[in-house]
Amino acid sequence: MIFNKDIANNTAEELLKIKAIKLQPTNPFTWASGWKSPIYCDNRITLSFPAIRNFLKTNMAKAIEEKFGKPDVIAGVATGAIAIGVLVAQELGIPFVYVRPEPKKHGRMNQIEGYLEKGSNVVVVEDLISTGKSSLLAVEALKAAEVNVKGMLAIFTYGFPIADQNFDTSNVTLVTLSNYQTLIEQAVKNNYISSEELTSIETWRKAPENWKV
């Protein structure tokens, strides 16, 4: 679910404006999964724009407090959500940890970096949700550390049905600042894409694994 429609619109517009989200139906991207995609999201670009990162920090902190209550700890998912997670934790005045995809192979062999007490109430921060698989692996690691995961907040989600299914199955509440549908509305409204490009993107959205230019 999105936190707030106005904030969702503003978030989408800011991401489009700085090209943190690019729409290229005629020159598609290749995702790590191998899927061809007319859309690519890199929210790390927001960190280079102080006004935008402050907007995200403030509204993510507000969303966490309103949807989950103020937690004891913010947990960022490595690596994309470490920086924004730190900013959100700072805004809330609470501790921060981050979760690796898997334990380190050396040293203390940690998967969770930072000090985390058992029984703590934790909200997970992500930058982007596609299928949700890697994000939910972080939740599993936190639960194995015997903390209470209140939910997850992300900047943006592609809104794939498989992601909804994965979060439902894991019984994890996901809140986002913006989402695919809002993004497309803003892109059309402000002429980031043509009607022909919109048709191509909507076709991709229905079956991304099979989409071709």
Side-chain angles (χ1 to χ4, degrees):
M1 77 181 87
I2 57 172
F3 168 53
N4 173 287
K5 184 59 177 175
D6 288 337
I7 291 172
N9 289 338
N10 291 337
T11 300
E13 176 60 26
E14 296 291 357
L15 296 179
L16 286 165
K17 183 169 64 178
I18 63 172
K19 298 184 179 179
I21 292 182
K22 290 185 176 182
L23 300 170
Q24 297 182 184
T26 58
N27 184 26
F29 303 94
T30 301
W31 286 2
S33 62
W35 288 0
K36 295 292 183 181
S37 171
I39 178 173
Y40 191 81
C41 180
D42 182 1
N43 287 325
R44 287 167 291 196
I45 292 173
T46 63
L47 300 171
S48 299
F49 296 84
I52 294 174
R53 77 171 182 241
N54 285 336
F55 168 84
L56 295 174
K57 172 194 70 174
T58 300
N59 285 293
M60 291 178 83
K62 185 185 300 183
I64 286 170
E65 288 200 286
E66 289 194 19
K67 295 298 184 181
F68 304 115
K70 187 173 181 178
D72 301 312
V73 180
I74 293 294
V77 180
T79 57
I82 292 177
I84 192 64
V86 169
L87 292 171
V88 172
Q90 182 68 20
E91 181 76 3
L92 292 169
I94 59 177
F96 173 80
V97 302
Y98 71 85
V99 188
R100 299 175 182 275
E102 59 184 22
K104 289 173 66 176
K105 304 298 184 185
H106 59 278
R108 294 193 298 162
M109 300 184 179
N110 290 341
Q111 184 169 5
I112 300 171
E113 296 289 0
Y115 178 72
L116 185 61
E117 288 188 1
K118 292 181 180 179
S120 297
N121 291 318
V122 178
V123 171
V124 182
V125 166
E126 258 288 25
D127 65 326
L128 173 67
I129 303 294
S130 52
T131 65
K133 183 178 178 182
S134 60
S135 307
L136 291 168
L137 286 175
V139 172
E140 290 180 17
L142 289 163
K143 288 182 175 179
E146 300 181 43
V147 300
N148 177 29
V149 177
K150 302 286 286 184
M152 185 179 299
L153 177 73
I155 297 173
F156 182 79
T157 178
Y158 291 110
F160 293 130
I162 185 63
D164 295 337
Q165 180 181 325
N166 287 338
F167 276 90
D168 286 344
T169 299
S170 299
N171 196 28
V172 175
T173 300
L174 173 66
V175 178
T176 65
L177 287 193
S178 195
N179 60 8
Y180 169 83
Q181 189 58 48
T182 304
L183 175 81
I184 293 302
E185 291 170 4
Q186 287 297 116
V188 171
K189 176 183 175 182
N190 295 323
N191 299 312
Y192 286 97
I193 54 174
S194 66
S195 57
E196 292 82 4
E197 290 172 323
L198 173 61
T199 298
S200 181
I201 292 170
E202 294 283 56
T203 300
W204 164 81
R205 178 63 177 70
K206 292 175 184 176
E209 68 278 11
N210 299 319
W211 182 82
K212 296 180 181 179
V213 179

